[in-house]
Amino acid sequence: LMHFQPFFPSMMALPALFQLQGVERPSVGGIDPEMEAREFMRAYAEDVRAGRREAIANRYDSRGAYRVGEGRKNLESWPVIQASYMSEWNPPSRFAWQDLSYEVLTSDAVMVIGLFDWGIADGRTLTFSYTGLLVRRDGRLRIRLEDESISPRAVAAFTAVAAED
């Protein structure tokens, strides 16, 4: 019969740590960061659907935002982000978040992970994966990082259909 000793005697107490009652999530002024992030993302979707270019640009951190994914990483300044939304960006024909998950990192930072559907003019819909880091600046959540990626297979299918037209 073998007898195993824990590496650290206190390790046996770890399961008790997960049974703590009354542990509260961090909040700012009584506001639950997850609920605040959920409201941010709901309003963000409304701005995208309505094509509110300035409102969308104003959702980004004034220090700029990291744009990552599909083999790239850029820290874009807020003026570049604003110029892009005001001149190059076009609203989708349809937009919807799908299956968003929220990870509260601190009372001032929430990671948002999920998908979104982006409708294009010909009636097709493209599905992107999404990761965003919302951070508190001047008392409000702002986007500090975004990754909007599409499956290479979806791009290939989209390109094949476009080539047929």
Side-chain angles (χ1 to χ4, degrees), residues 106-117:
T106 71
S107 59
D108 293 326
V110 179
M111 183 73 65
V112 182
I113 306 101
L115 305 169
F116 66 86
D117 291 335

Side-chain angles (χ1 to χ4, degrees), residues 20-99:
L20 292 174
Q21 299 297 317
V23 176
E24 293 185 25
R25 291 175 16 162
S27 66
V28 174
I31 299 172
D32 179 345
E34 180 178 330
M35 296 308 295
E36 187 178 6
R38 286 178 182 276
E39 174 55 26
F40 180 96
M41 297 305 286
R42 184 200 62 72
Y44 188 12
E46 285 182 13
D47 289 342
V48 170
R49 283 190 292 269
R52 296 184 195 118
R53 297 165 184 264
E54 187 173 354
I56 295 167
N58 288 334
R59 292 189 170 283
Y60 289 84
D61 190 316
S62 61
R63 298 171 297 170
Y66 289 94
R67 301 288 183 104
V68 298
E70 299 175 352
R72 64 185 171 87
K73 175 196 165 230
N74 296 317
L75 175 57
E76 293 181 352
S77 70
W78 191 85
V80 166
I81 293 168
Q82 182 186 37
S84 176
Y85 276 107
M86 298 307 286
S87 63
E88 299 169 17
W89 184 83
N90 290 306
S93 62
R94 179 182 167 302
F95 181 85
W97 295 116
Q98 302 293 332
D99 192 27

